[in-house]
Amino acid sequence: MISRALLLASVAGTTLLASPAFADQPAVAETAAEGSASGGNDILVTAQRREENAQNVPIALSVVGGADIEAKGAFNINRLQQSQPTIQFYSSNPRNSAINIRGLGAPFGLTNDGIEQGVGFYLDGVYIGRAGASTFDFVDVQRVEVLRGPQGTLYGKNTTAGAVNVTTRPPSFDPEARVELSGGNYNFIQAKGSVSAPLVADQLAARVSVSYSKRDGTIKDVTSGEDVHRMDSFSVRGQLLWKPTTDLSFALAGDYNRQNPLCCVQYYARVAPTQRPLARQYTALAAAFHYAPPSTNPFDRVTDLDADLNARQTMAGVSLTGNWDIGPATITSVSAWRNWDWKPANDRDFTGLPITTVSANPSHQTQWSQELRLASNGKTRLQYTLGAFFFSQKINTDGLQMQGPAASRWLLSGADASNPNVLNGLTSTNTIHFSNQSFAVFGKLNWAVTDKLHVQPGLRLNYDKKSGFYEAVVSIANSQYNFVATADNVQSLLNSKTGAGQTTFQNQINTLAPQRYSPEFSDWNVSGDITVSYDFTDDVHGYATYAKSFKSGGINLSGLPLNSKSTGVDLSTQTVKPENVNHFEVGLKTQLWDRKVTFNLAGFWDEIKNYQATVNANAVNVIRGYLANAQKVRVRGIEFDSSFRPSDRFNAYVNGAYTDAKYVKFTNAPCPPELAGGTALPVVNGVIVGTPARAGTPGNSLPFCNISGQVMPGISKWSFSFGAEYNVPVSGGEIYLGYDGSYRSRFSSNPSPSAYMYIDDYSLHNFRLGFRKDRFNVFGWVRNAFNQHYFELLSAQSGSSGLIVGQPGDPRTWGFTIRNEF
């Protein structure tokens, strides 16, 4: 796997185009440059007995060294995206997190356990099965690699959009230690340390790494007086490296991560007028309760929670990696077990009103994986990597949602809206089980037709099987209503009602629907790719790639929508089809002026059939959404990565991406919030919003909209990262000034484009000033130096009131860091 390829990055801040092709010779790296400034601008991919310049291998890969990660404070995937224009990371809380590359990877919206991510996240070669389980702090990281485009013919788990590879520092046979302390505003404290030493000379070495981070919250809850969106995390990782012979090695690693950040909240950002009667829209509903948010300026950073808040999670894992050099090839085995435990509590109505008083879906995941590979050694005309991969995953979730005394007025219409008891105490208890097994065999060849011309075909055979169970039991017990509704008795309960009583009961079970189903999905598919590359000169290289890939189909495990007669759930929506990806890419890599300048360019075009997307249930009072397939989407773009190092005193980088992503055909999409409650299409700023696929019914939203030709969510058309560092020699060391910036153009924050749910373009600017000498480094830093106001996410409140809530990004933070290595 690439994560065991030794990448020697010689320029801080550099992100270059490189390749995993045959970097997967699984030797244990004994040394590695980590983005330090030294020498020329080469990045070398080194496998057992083979080393090649990353500029010579044909795929898009950004490499961020450990020293660069430490300098930028990019200690998790959320912060890493600021230096990687092609990465998009979204998270309303750790479970509801998604990693996308080039706009592809996971559907925009709440997480559904029954599907897989299109971007693979790997920790020391071990695939992490849930994006939420990848939100840990980086500990003692040697480098992070971001691969763009399908990677299934070299990776164990099929990844159709790309991969993020985190590689930690391995144990060392030379004693060493690292200590780092940081402090800053918001009472920020961070401590990191690692120690490594031989236990048996030249045979057994160990490394232990720890990290602790704590910070006050950046948002004030005026109800409790507490600050929320805190930082509170602890991580520890231990490794043993055993080399019984020069040809055989084993690496045993274990890690534990605990996060308890008291988050996550979204709150008032703006209001979108809907097509519901004025009395059923946010302004009138809030006035009926004499309610006003603590501020209508979201960047005052205040909220008014009336429900418990929690986002505690633990992640742990053990892996064993073995490498055996048998002469012409190396055999590698990677065995791993990982565990993720999530214990949340949320204020899901996003207001200080008791609409939804409890919302929690605690989840527990366990996964096992086994990978075997055979990779050729040496530099020959024909090189190969062959592999097999098995993955097993189980997820168990026990959810609870309860409505409060304000729910009837907020969610219902007619006579039931004026009776708080209709929904007060209405509770859905959900039991969810998910089982996922996959198996694959894969291989990649590298044929040197001539010294300049290379052909690299790859092939993958993949099998996936998913099965699940979902049950929601709905109950209520108050002074007026008392029942327990299950999938078995809901129809008889409905039939026992008459007149207004039947209407009320229908409103209750439409709000939280009792249901039970056991979806299953299984499928075989064959994917492959072929790359042709040509070395025009020693410093100019070109390539072209075509890949046919599949993202596994899935099962809906967030509840199903009601059928057209509202007499039960629509069982036809239990499964979603696999995504079918056609990927085209061309690239050019150049180095100029004695390799002091590197400029690389890549263009890509992806067409995806049966794109997995989020769809809302069609009634205004129904809270949950589900997954469906958009018929076709297209994503195309151009990327460049560049670095400049005219002298030892100065280096700079500029990276950019242009991405054009749209739904080619999506005729059953969710409608934007401004269409809630009617069938007419509003005109906003001269633009017709949406196209109805069919007429709605009075009191309900349009069942769905045709958004073919419109933009996909979460994707900026333009994104850039840029930075520089200048140093001056002083007293045997150097004083340095560093700068890192990023820019994103506006993007949609709703599955269907809404005139009220675009996040405006923004730029972030970070500075650092410090002194370093030998292995000592002390510096001050400021992040978001100009205190840019921006949103990470915008969401529409459940119930179609028109309230748009937002999750603001971090304000300006500042502090200092002191680091020493021994």
Side-chain angles (χ1 to χ4, degrees):
M1 200 66 56
I2 297 184
S3 58
R4 282 169 299 282
L6 174 58
L7 291 139
L8 302 178
S10 60
V11 178
T14 300
T15 54
L16 299 176
L17 295 176
S19 174
F22 312 105
D24 198 9
Q25 304 293 333
V28 176
E30 295 184 4
T31 60
E34 300 172 6
S36 59
S38 61
N41 282 4
D42 292 340
I43 290 181
L44 300 180
V45 180
T46 302
Q48 183 174 333
R49 302 194 209 161
R50 183 165 67 248
E51 178 180 288
E52 56 185 332
N53 189 336
Q55 288 292 101
N56 298 336
V57 285
I59 204 168
L61 169 68
S62 299
V63 184
V64 184
D68 197 32
I69 290 171
E70 293 167 352
K72 295 178 180 179
F75 54 82
N76 56 35
I77 185 66
N78 186 31
R79 290 197 172 188
L80 181 69
Q81 71 168 329
Q82 294 182 17
S83 64
Q84 300 293 308
T86 57
I87 288 184
Q88 298 90 33
F89 176 77
Y90 308 102
S91 180
S92 59
N93 61 38
R95 181 175 184 265
N96 292 300
S97 298
I99 306 170
N100 285 0
I101 293 178
R102 293 172 170 172
L104 300 174
F108 199 87
L110 297 180
T111 293
N112 192 306
D113 288 335
I115 65 165
E116 298 184 42
Q117 54 214 35
V119 173
F121 190 97
Y122 294 83
L123 175 63
D124 284 335
V126 176
Y127 174 73
I128 308 296
R130 293 282 108 181
S134 66
T135 57
F136 52 80
D137 288 354
F138 297 155
V139 180
D140 213 10
V141 168
Q142 186 182 80
R143 66 186 177 275
V144 176
E145 306 145 21
V146 180
L147 289 80
R148 304 181 315 245
Q151 304 297 325
T153 61
L154 270 174
Y155 269 65
K157 191 64 180 172
N158 198 18
T159 50
T160 57
V164 176
N165 237 339
V166 178
T167 302
T168 64
R169 296 183 178 101
S172 171
F173 286 97
D174 296 317
E176 64 175 47
R178 300 167 182 258
V179 178
E180 177 182 299
L181 296 174
S182 299
N185 63 338
Y186 293 97
N187 292 317
F188 173 66
I189 298 174
Q190 187 174 71
K192 297 180 180 181
S194 70
V195 60
S196 184
L199 302 180
V200 178
D202 300 324
Q203 285 196 341
L204 184 64
R207 177 181 289 275
V208 176
S209 310
V210 296
S211 174
Y212 174 74
S213 302
K214 191 175 181 66
R215 189 196 68 183
D216 291 345
T218 59
I219 296 170
K220 184 67 173 292
D221 174 23
V222 299
T223 304
S224 66
E226 291 187 309
D227 53 279
V228 297
H229 278 227
R230 299 176 186 174
M231 184 184 298
D232 184 358
S233 60
F234 170 76
S235 302
V236 60
R237 182 173 180 81
Q239 300 178 72
L240 287 173
L241 172 60
W242 181 37
K243 301 180 71 174
T245 72
T246 57
D247 298 327
L248 182 64
S249 67
F250 295 95
L252 177 66
D255 66 274
Y256 172 82
N257 307 269
R258 188 269 304 155
Q259 295 181 345
N260 193 21
L262 192 62
C263 84
C264 303
V265 299
Q266 299 179 65
Y267 53 83
Y268 182 102
R270 60 185 69 127
V271 174
T274 74
Q275 294 192 46
R276 301 177 75 188
L278 290 177
R280 308 303 307 147
Q281 297 190 40
Y282 173 80
T283 301
L285 290 169
F289 288 98
H290 306 287
Y291 171 76
S295 175
T296 56
N297 179 359
F299 300 106
D300 286 342
R301 297 183 174 273
V302 290
T303 187
D304 54 347
L305 299 173
D306 68 331
D308 291 337
L309 196 65
N310 194 33
R312 188 182 186 278
Q313 62 173 344
T314 58
M315 297 153 278
V318 178
S319 66
L320 176 64
T321 302
N323 296 295
W324 184 20
D325 183 352
I326 58 175
T330 295
I331 299 173
T332 296
S333 170
V334 182
S335 307
W337 168 89
R338 292 201 66 81
N339 173 278
W340 177 53
D341 191 65
W342 163 242
K343 297 188 182 302
N346 305 284
D347 188 347
R348 291 300 298 174
D349 59 47
F350 310 115
T351 71
L353 293 172
I355 303 168
T356 300
T357 55
V358 177
S359 178
N361 288 280
S363 184
H364 185 85
Q365 175 203 260
T366 301
Q367 67 170 64
W368 295 85
S369 60
Q370 174 64 53
E371 185 168 353
L372 291 171
R373 294 190 311 276
L374 177 69
S376 61
N377 291 331
K379 189 173 183 179
T380 62
R381 285 286 184 185
L382 186 65
Q383 301 167 353
Y384 61 86
T385 297
L386 305 174
F389 178 76
F390 174 76
F391 178 77
S392 178
Q393 176 188 50
K394 292 187 181 298
I395 302 176
N396 294 302
T397 301
D398 296 304
L400 180 66
Q401 182 161 312
M402 181 181 293
Q403 302 306 110
S408 297
R409 183 66 178 266
W410 203 270
L411 299 175
L412 303 179
S413 59
D416 285 340
S418 60
N419 183 356
N421 282 334
V422 171
L423 295 184
N424 186 22
L426 186 71
T427 301
S428 178
T429 304
N430 306 326
T431 302
I432 307 170
H433 302 302
F434 175 65
S435 177
N436 177 22
Q437 286 83 38
S438 65
F439 172 77
V441 290
F442 55 93
K444 184 91 168 178
L445 299 177
N446 186 353
W447 177 32
V449 181
T450 70
D451 290 342
K452 294 180 176 292
L453 178 66
H454 289 249
V455 178
Q456 298 183 12
L459 195 65
R460 177 188 183 90
L461 174 65
N462 198 83
Y463 174 73
D464 291 288
K465 181 180 180 180
K466 297 178 173 68
S467 59
F469 173 80
Y470 181 93
E471 182 175 32
V473 176
V474 177
S475 63
I476 190 170
N478 60 38
S479 60
Q480 191 172 357
Y481 300 98
N482 192 322
F483 66 79
V484 177
T486 68
D488 297 320
N489 71 358
V490 62
Q491 190 61 50
S492 62
L493 287 174
L494 180 63
N495 293 338
S496 69
K497 312 290 183 182
T498 59
Q502 189 175 68
T503 301
T504 296
F505 184 72
Q506 188 75 66
N507 279 332
Q508 291 168 326
I509 62 172
N510 281 3
T511 301
L512 297 175
Q515 51 186 288
R516 181 178 64 244
Y517 58 98
S518 300
E520 293 184 351
F521 173 88
S522 63
D523 192 31
W524 290 89
N525 61 65
V526 177
S527 56
D529 57 48
I530 185 167
T531 297
V532 178
S533 61
Y534 190 80
D535 303 329
F536 296 100
T537 69
D538 289 344
D539 295 324
V540 180
H541 316 277
Y543 69 90
T545 296
Y546 168 73
K548 178 74 168 181
S549 187
F550 295 88
K551 180 184 173 186
S552 172
I555 56 180
N556 265 306
L557 286 177
S558 292
L560 300 179
L562 298 176
N563 59 29
S564 59
K565 297 181 180 180
S566 295
T567 59
V569 296
D570 184 357
L571 294 178
S572 67
T573 60
Q574 289 184 84
T575 62
V576 288
K577 300 175 184 177
E579 291 183 358
N580 185 325
V581 181
N582 281 295
H583 169 80
F584 305 86
E585 184 166 339
V586 294
L588 184 68
K589 311 191 212 177
T590 64
Q591 288 184 305
L592 308 171
W593 299 325
D594 296 326
R595 300 188 175 180
K596 294 179 179 178
V597 174
T598 298
F599 183 82
N600 299 322
L601 190 66
F604 65 93
W605 188 301
D606 289 321
E607 295 184 348
I608 302 98
K609 294 181 180 178
N610 296 321
Y611 177 77
Q612 295 166 359
T614 301
V615 173
N616 294 333
N618 61 6
V620 297
N621 58 321
V622 174
I623 292 171
R624 63 172 62 88
Y626 61 101
L627 292 167
N629 293 105
Q631 292 93 326
K632 186 177 181 180
V633 304
R634 186 220 62 214
V635 181
R636 61 187 178 185
I638 298 175
E639 306 161 347
F640 72 89
D641 300 277
S642 62
S643 64
F644 314 89
R645 187 176 179 81
S647 72
D648 291 340
R649 305 272 73 84
F650 178 77
N651 66 77
Y653 68 94
V654 180
N655 309 313
Y658 168 81
T659 308
D660 177 25
K662 74 174 185 178
Y663 296 107
V664 175
K665 186 178 182 181
F666 195 4
T667 56
N668 61 331
C671 291
E674 53 264 48
L675 292 187
T679 59
L681 294 177
V683 177
V684 179
N685 295 328
V687 178
I688 296 177
V689 181
T691 302
R694 69 183 187 199
T697 56
N700 285 342
S701 298
L702 291 163
F704 43 77
C705 284
N706 180 354
I707 60 170
S708 302
Q710 298 196 36
V711 299
M712 294 172 62
I715 306 170
S716 295
K717 184 159 284 190
W718 297 97
S719 57
F720 298 94
S721 64
F722 35 85
E725 185 178 290
Y726 180 74
N727 64 74
V728 178
V730 174
S731 302
E734 58 187 28
I735 293 176
Y736 63 92
L737 174 65
Y739 164 75
D740 298 288
S742 62
Y743 169 82
R744 289 193 67 181
S745 62
R746 73 192 294 260
F747 62 91
S748 169
S749 187
N750 195 56
S752 297
S754 165
Y756 302 95
M757 295 187 67
Y758 275 88
I759 292 179
D760 292 334
D761 60 332
Y762 63 88
S763 60
L764 302 176
H765 306 272
N766 309 324
F767 296 88
R768 60 186 181 275
L769 175 65
F771 172 79
R772 60 191 172 214
K773 180 178 181 181
D774 300 325
R775 296 187 172 187
F776 175 79
N777 190 1
V778 58
F779 60 96
W781 46 265
V782 57
R783 298 181 57 84
N784 191 6
F786 304 118
N787 203 28
Q788 172 75 62
H789 291 169
Y790 69 101
F791 288 109
E792 294 181 341
L793 285 172
L794 291 173
S795 303
Q797 184 197 40
S798 298
S800 303
S801 71
L803 174 62
I804 307 300
V805 295
Q807 181 172 298
D810 277 350
R812 179 193 298 118
T813 57
W814 51 264
F816 69 91
T817 296
I818 183 168
R819 180 187 307 123
N820 203 7
E821 301 177 19
F822 308 94

